[in-house]
Structure formats: C-alpha cells, structure tokens
Amino acid sequence: MPTTSATAPVSVLGLGLMGSALAAALLKAGHPTTVWNRTASKTGPLAAQGATPADTVGDAIGAAPLVIVCLTTNDDVRALLAPEAGALAGRTVVNLTNGTPEQARELARWAAEQGVSYIDGGIMAVPQMIATPAAYILCSGTDEKAYETHRPTLAALAGTKWVGDDPGAAALYDLSLLTGMYGMVMGVVQAYALVGSAGVPAREFAPLLKGWVGAMTEGLVPGMAEALDSGQHLTDVSSLAVNQAALPNFLAAYEEAGVSGELLRPLQGLLDRAVEAGHGADGLSRLVTFLEKG
Ligand code: NDP
C-alpha cells in the first residue's frame, strides 16, 4: 500500500456499502474520520471503529479540510452540498459518486463559484477491494494542487491515478472501464445461460469460461488499440464477414435451447451495417467507428 499521512483529518458523507468501506479504511490508516449519513444508524459500526459521527452535514464538513462524498447519484450530491456552500468554502471535495463527465463538470463549475476545490473520482473497486493493492481511484479536476495535497490521505483507500484537468475525465475513464466490464459480464451471463440450458453445472464450465475470456481479453484489448490508433483495421485474426456469418448460429442455438438472445442480438445489426459498407475483411476494431455518431 502507498504511504499515508495518518494525522490528516477527513470527513466522509454517505455511508452506504462503498462509503462505509472508505471510512473504515481511513480509520484503519489512523485518520481522524468524521462520518455523516442520511440514515444516522449507519454511523454506528464506524463509530465503534473510532469514527466521530456528525449530527449534521455542516458539522461533518466543518470537521476536516477534505470531504469525501459517496452517494447514489450526482443529483443526490448536488442536493446535499448546495445548501452547504458556506461551510465548504476553502475545503476540498472529493466526489466518488458514479456519474457522467458532464455532471462532474457541472459540479466542478458550481464548486469553483463557491471557492471550493473539487476533485471528481471514479472508484475502480468493489467495497471489499478498498485498501487492497487491486483497487484504484481515477481522479481529475482543475485543481491538481489540491489533489497532490490530499493524495496521501486518499492513498489509505487505494492507489490514485490522475487523468487530467478536465473534471469530467475521471468519469469518462470510469464509465469506459465499466463499459468494458459490463460487456464482459453480459457475455458471461449469456454463456452460462446457454451451457446451463443443457444441464451443464456452472462450476464445471467455469474454468473453461474463465480461461477463454482471459485469453481473449489479453490479446484483443491491446490489438484493438493498435488498430484504432493506426486506422489499420484489416485483419488476419477474425474478419467481420466471418463473424457476420457465424452470429446467426449463436442466435439459432439460443432459440433451440429456449434461451433469450437479447444480449447479443444487437450485434447482428452492427455487423450487417459494417459489412454492407464494405468492411467485411476488417477486424472487430472497425465496429468502434460504427458506434461513433460523428
Ligand atoms: P449504497 O446504496 O450502499 O449507498 C448509497 C448511499 O447514498 C447511502 O449512504 C445513502 O444514504 C446515500 N444517499 C442516497 N441518496 C441520498 C440523498 N438524496 N441524500 C443523502 N444521502 C443519500 O451504494 P454504494 O455505497 O454501493 O455506492 C455509492 C456510490 O459509489 C454509487 O455512486 C456507486 O455507483 C459508487 N460505486 C459503488 C461501487 C460498489 O461496488 N458498491 C463500486 C464503485 C463505485 P442512506 O443510507 O440514508 O440511504
């Protein structure tokens, strides 16, 4: 784990699954931690670990120069922080709530008007991964100095990656990474549905699926990046035409098995468009250009 300045006080607003994990990690690293949650009873377990529960949002904000916020949506964040502009002035807010790049930019604009340093963050971890080497937090914003100041405290949660001075950058990277995850997860969901329809126990199939998905990702991610950045989509791996020809077999197999093909069916239209446009010999990277609205 990176080192952390354990004396820096910090406040955490929002003690859901993630906020509670963040507060617990800060306490474990020795930070004096003030916590606030809309449903006050959730402060109990953290108080038992040494946190100071605050009665009001304003009290929590007043307790530390660094305020970490982790609520369900950025609408919730806006609604919570708007009445607290006075208390927040001169402090740094690190918002780890999931949201869009434009939402982050809007919050950053609002914060700048109030004299608040705003860092937007994307947590690349589930709560159980917080404070383990596998976790990291993407951060961006116009005040990189504030990020550097509070980086040692954030290090108690996870490694941090600064992705630029556009406040929306962390959300952009976060949602793009999660997009990759959802695509993979949905493929895994569909695979288990198909193989399971024949009574194959999921546990028996799991090692094959894990190995296959891992091997495919290993080569595909950097290979596609190379094709996209060079504009060279011609492939000797697997052409769009051959994928277009194979996809109906998948959809027919789902039908035969009585399994919905709704997760993969949209791929047919995308492949058809790309092949009809004359890109049948290209690789799957070409599909990226067909998703761009221009
Ligand atoms: P939870 O549902 O466990 O917690 C949501 C938190 O938001 C609770 O503290 C809830 O308060 C609070 N909240 C919701 N609406 C309001 C409001 N209007 N005013 C004040 N507080 C409010 O969610 P998580 O902790 O799992 O997730 C929190 C954020 O972290 C989300 O944006 C999520 O996408 C992101 N995230 C979560 C990950 C995960 O694996 N869990 C991974 C990475 C990011 P109350 O207790 O009173 O309901």
Side-chain angles (χ1 to χ4, degrees):
M1 282 295 297
T3 55
T4 170
S5 162
T7 52
V10 54
S11 289
V12 179
L13 309 182
L15 303 174
L17 293 174
M18 184 53 88
S20 292
L22 300 174
L26 290 162
L27 287 163
K28 201 163 177 205
H31 290 278
T33 304
T34 301
V35 291
W36 176 89
N37 193 60
R38 179 178 60 178
T39 307
S41 58
K42 288 192 190 166
T43 60
L46 291 155
Q49 294 166 58
T52 305
D55 289 337
T56 66
V57 185
D59 288 349
I61 291 169
L66 172 62
V67 179
I68 295 174
V69 190
C70 190
L71 307 182
T72 308
T73 68
N74 277 334
D75 284 344
D76 302 324
V77 173
R78 218 168 333 194
L80 189 73
L81 297 188
E84 305 295 339
L88 282 168
R91 301 177 198 278
T92 297
V93 169
V94 174
N95 180 20
L96 300 179
T97 303
N98 180 274
T100 73
E102 198 42 45
Q103 288 169 5
R105 290 181 197 115
E106 266 177 49
L107 278 164
R109 275 193 292 271
W110 173 82
E113 283 164 17
Q114 317 304 321
V116 178
S117 285
Y118 179 86
I119 295 166
D120 204 77
I123 305 174
M124 303 316 299
V126 296
Q128 292 71 14
M129 286 165 66
I130 294 300
T132 72
Y136 67 94
I137 300 177
L138 299 157
C139 294
S140 66
T142 52
D143 192 350
E144 191 173 354
K145 211 162 148 244
Y147 165 73
E148 289 301 341
T149 301
H150 295 293
R151 195 179 184 174
T153 303
L154 297 174
L157 309 174
T160 55
K161 289 187 203 297
W162 182 254
V163 289
D165 61 7
D166 168 10
L172 176 74
Y173 278 60
D174 180 28
L175 295 187
S176 301
L177 289 167
L178 293 175
T179 296
M181 177 197 76
Y182 278 125
M184 182 197 70
V185 170
M186 291 307 113
V188 168
V189 164
Q190 185 77 47
Y192 275 129
L194 180 60
V195 82
S197 71
V200 178
R203 248 189 240 112
E204 185 184 308
F205 188 64
L208 288 175
L209 186 56
K210 184 171 179 239
W212 175 248
V213 170
M216 286 297 97
T217 313
E218 185 81 18
L220 182 136
V221 172
M224 197 174 281
E226 192 62 40
L228 286 165
D229 287 350
S230 66
Q232 301 298 316
H233 295 285
L234 208 61
T235 185
D236 58 2
V237 177
S238 173
S239 70
L240 290 182
V242 86
N243 281 281
Q244 184 198 32
L247 194 66
N249 295 333
F250 291 80
L251 301 179
Y254 303 147
E255 192 75 29
E256 286 168 14
V259 163
S260 168
E262 66 197 300
L263 291 172
L264 257 72
R265 200 173 297 117
L267 184 53
Q268 186 77 68
L270 191 58
L271 283 167
D272 290 347
R273 270 198 292 144
V275 173
E276 276 160 27
H279 300 295
D282 285 353
L284 292 167
S285 60
R286 174 62 73 180
L287 296 180
V288 176
T289 67
F290 277 80
L291 290 180
E292 290 162 355
K293 285 193 173 163

